């Protein structure tokens, strides 16, 4: 199992109690010195909690969910605290001089009419024209004398205003619905993307796990080869000491042994690198010791053929299809730009000191906003409609790609299974030959060089066999991945 993992494996969010307990138990088991080899399912479970890429995808989903909740509340009114400080180049004034003559003459004439009506009511006759002229001139002189000879100010030169502004959408040409639909589409896409990332991580872990099993197998075999060549080299030394074997043949066994040791070291380094890459996928520190001691063993698998439109269950296909909803919403949004926007508006002034007389204490109203011409609207609509066509093609292409991957991977399995059968027979023959030659050498019927040659051939044939087995399981992993269930391969890796 997993040993020497950091304590932060169990420092999870408090609301995730189940994962908390599982990881705690996992760490407890991992510290057992007699622990068994880590299974592929254990790797899946650990990566589900720790993988950074998966965490990033989940964070994106949470962001999309919050954005959707925000868009659903866009129908609510918007209330703002509005304030301003204004300094005018000169105070606001009313120019009374432009209307002076009209006011003086009009008021004087009204005085004449009023006096004439009173006189007529008493005597039944109108005032004489001379009397009317005297009253008119007297009124004109009096009113002209008291009429202001300046322009009064309506406000001070600077003032501060503060109030509450309310803006309630009434009709926005379906813009709010389209924005909510768009947010919903993005949230759905983010949810599908989490599944895509999760299954991609599982698939990569499967490949890396198979690689480690393969390297374990090759490493064990290489250790066996080194042991045989070491024994052969020691035997050659004895033959040289007894002057039975020429020294140059003993030197050749040294060369072959050094090369075998070099290959052994190279395989060990490859295995270390494979563990580092697996640790990254699992989300644990790169120097963590993930104990995997199992080897790769060939067992023929005959997976069932996919039924119906199996590719529709694959998150990759669903991700391509989710863009269709986004494209349709984009068309609605583009068309909504040509429709009017209607708002109910209102304002109430909280601070009225030095408020200009031209500004009321409060007001309510209806505001209309309508773009009568926008040269971009038609092109935007065409672009959005083209996006629908692009989404259809992307969805179709994703389906075809998954079908091709399924068929190709099954064909690879068939081909590699035949190759494994042939190479298995060949490696058994090579092992038998090498063993017989070794016995002949012990009876001095063959030379150490013959043993070296036989062992090297055995090594190469075994590597070819193990490579074919690895290729077979990699093809099986690709097949299950095309079905959208990469974890299924864990059933066949024991």
């Amino acid at each position: 199992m997993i040993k020497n993992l950091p304590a932060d494996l169990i420092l999870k969010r408090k609301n995730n109690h189940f994962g908390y307990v599982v990881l705690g138990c996992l760490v407890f088991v991992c510290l057992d010195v007699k622990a068994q080899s880590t299974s592929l399912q254990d790797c899946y479970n650990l990566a589900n909690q720790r993988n950074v890429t998966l965490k990033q995808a989940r964070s994106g989903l949470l962001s999309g969910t919050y954005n959707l909740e925000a868009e659903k509340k866009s129908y609510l009114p918007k209330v703002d605290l509005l304030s301003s400080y204004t300094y005018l180049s000169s105070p606001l004034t009313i120019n009374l001089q432009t209307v002076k003559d009209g006011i003086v003459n009009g008021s004087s004439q009204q005085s004449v009419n009023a006096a004439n009506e009173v006189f007529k009511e008493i005597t039944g006759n109108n005032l004489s024209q001379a009397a009317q002229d005297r009253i008119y001139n007297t009124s004109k002189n009096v009113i002209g004398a008291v009429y202001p000879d300046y322009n009064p100010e309506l406000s001070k030169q600077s003032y501060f205003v503060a109030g509450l502004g309310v803006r309630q959408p009434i009709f926005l040409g379906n813009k709010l619905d389209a924005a909510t639909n768009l947010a919903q589409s993005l949230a759905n896409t983010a949810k599908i993307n989490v599944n895509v990332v999760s299954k991609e991580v599982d698939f990569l872990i499967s490949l890396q796990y198979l690689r480690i099993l393969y390297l374990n197998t090759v490493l064990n075999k290489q250790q066996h080869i080194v042991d045989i060549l070491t024994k052969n080299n020691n035997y050659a030394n004895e033959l040289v000491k007894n002057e039975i074997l020429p020294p140059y043949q003993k030197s050749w066994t040294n060369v072959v042994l050094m090369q075998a040791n070099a290959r052994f070291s190279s395989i060990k380094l490859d295995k270390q690198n494979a563990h580092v890459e697996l640790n990254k996928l699992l989300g644990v520190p790169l120097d963590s010791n993930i104990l995997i001691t199992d080897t790769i063993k060939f067992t023929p698998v005959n997976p069932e053929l996919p039924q119906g439109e199996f590719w529709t269950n694959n998150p990759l296909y669903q991700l391509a299809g989710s863009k269709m909803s986004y494209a349709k919403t984009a068309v609605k949004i583009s068309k909504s730009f040509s429709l009017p926007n209607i708002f109910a508006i209102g304002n109430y002034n909280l601070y009225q000191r030095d408020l200009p007389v031209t500004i009321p204490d409060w007001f309510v109203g209806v505001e209309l906003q309508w773009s009568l011409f926008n040269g971009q609207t038609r092109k935007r609509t065409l672009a959005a409609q083209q996006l629908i066509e692009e989404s259809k093609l992307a969805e179709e292409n994703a389906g075809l790609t998954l079908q091709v991957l399924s068929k190709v991977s099954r064909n690879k399995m068939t081909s590699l299974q035949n190759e494994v059968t042939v190479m298995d027979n060949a490696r058994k023959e090579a092992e038998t030959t090498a063993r017989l030659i070794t016995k002949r050498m012990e009876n001095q019927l063959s030379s150490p060089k013959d043993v070296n040659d036989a062992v090297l051939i055995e090594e190469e044939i075994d590597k070819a066999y193990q490579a074919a087995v690895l290729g077979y399981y990699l093809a099986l992993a690709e097949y299950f991945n095309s079905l959208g269930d990469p974890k299924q391969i864990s059933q066949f890796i024991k």
Side-chain angles (χ1 to χ4, degrees), residues 163-200:
L164 291 177
V166 181
R167 189 179 181 89
Q168 170 66 56
I170 298 177
F171 175 76
L172 299 183
N174 299 322
K175 294 182 180 67
L176 294 183
D177 289 337
T180 302
N181 293 339
L182 180 61
Q184 181 68 66
S185 175
L186 294 176
N188 293 340
T189 300
K191 183 177 181 180
I192 295 174
N193 185 60
V194 171
N195 292 332
V196 170
V197 172
S198 177
K199 294 187 182 301
E200 179 68 16

Side-chain angles (χ1 to χ4, degrees), residues 97-109:
Q97 309 309 313
T98 58
V99 295
K100 179 178 180 180
D101 293 340
I103 293 175
V104 171
N105 293 335
S107 299
S108 299
Q109 187 61 48

